[in-house]
Amino acid sequence: MKIHLTSVFVDDQDKALRFYTDVLGFVKKTEVPLGKDRWLTVVSAEDPDGTELLLEPDGHPAVKPYKAALVKDGIPAASFAVDDVHAEFDRLRELGAHFTKEPLEMGPVTTAVLDDTCGNLIQIVHSK
């Protein structure tokens, strides 16, 4: 068994698609109209047949309070592996990403946390 699809709730699919592709570097995989929303997924440019990330609309009444509570407590909604957190931190800041936590080394793991502009905190991580 392997993970095929996971999702992150977003407040605006167009804004999310721009951020996740233009800033984070993912590529659009699927876009299917579903009424006013879309089934909209992105994947790693390095693994186009890998796990898809669904940019899921946050319209359900339970989602906004859930997202707000996570952000208030500094809890990332998702975590993405990178080769070098420090280099990725610099690259993403140059592209305008706002970090809520700068790179932090914790033994063999280094993390940083950024705001995805769509109501979520996202962690980037690498292990030595």
Side-chain angles (χ1 to χ4, degrees):
M1 187 177 304
K2 65 182 182 175
I3 297 170
H4 167 70
L5 175 85
T6 191
S7 64
V8 62
F9 290 108
V10 299
D11 58 13
D12 180 308
Q13 285 186 303
D14 291 323
K15 180 173 64 169
L17 182 61
R18 282 190 304 275
F19 185 82
Y20 280 79
T21 57
D22 296 346
V23 177
L24 295 184
F26 292 105
V27 294
K28 182 169 67 171
K29 171 95 179 204
T30 307
E31 183 171 5
V32 178
L34 297 171
K36 69 178 183 68
D37 297 315
R38 297 167 283 171
W39 181 266
L40 182 60
T41 68
V42 295
V43 294
S44 169
E46 300 166 8
D47 189 11
D49 294 320
T51 305
E52 295 179 52
L53 178 66
L54 174 63
L55 303 177
E56 187 161 0
D58 68 0
H60 188 281
V63 174
K64 287 185 182 162
Y66 167 76
K67 284 173 52 177
L70 289 179
V71 170
K72 180 178 178 261
D73 290 342
I75 299 171
S79 182
F80 302 132
V82 297
D83 291 332
D84 180 335
V85 167
H86 292 283
E88 197 66 12
F89 173 83
D90 292 340
R91 182 187 79 79
L92 293 171
R93 280 191 42 173
E94 286 292 317
L95 292 171
H98 168 71
F99 279 81
T100 61
K101 291 188 180 175
E102 295 196 3
L104 176 62
E105 294 184 25
M106 299 172 286
V109 176
T110 303
T111 65
V113 178
L114 62 113
D115 180 338
D116 78 348
T117 74
C118 302
N120 303 290
L121 297 178
I122 302 296
Q123 178 175 264
I124 56 174
V125 62
H126 81 255
S127 299
K128 295 179 185 174

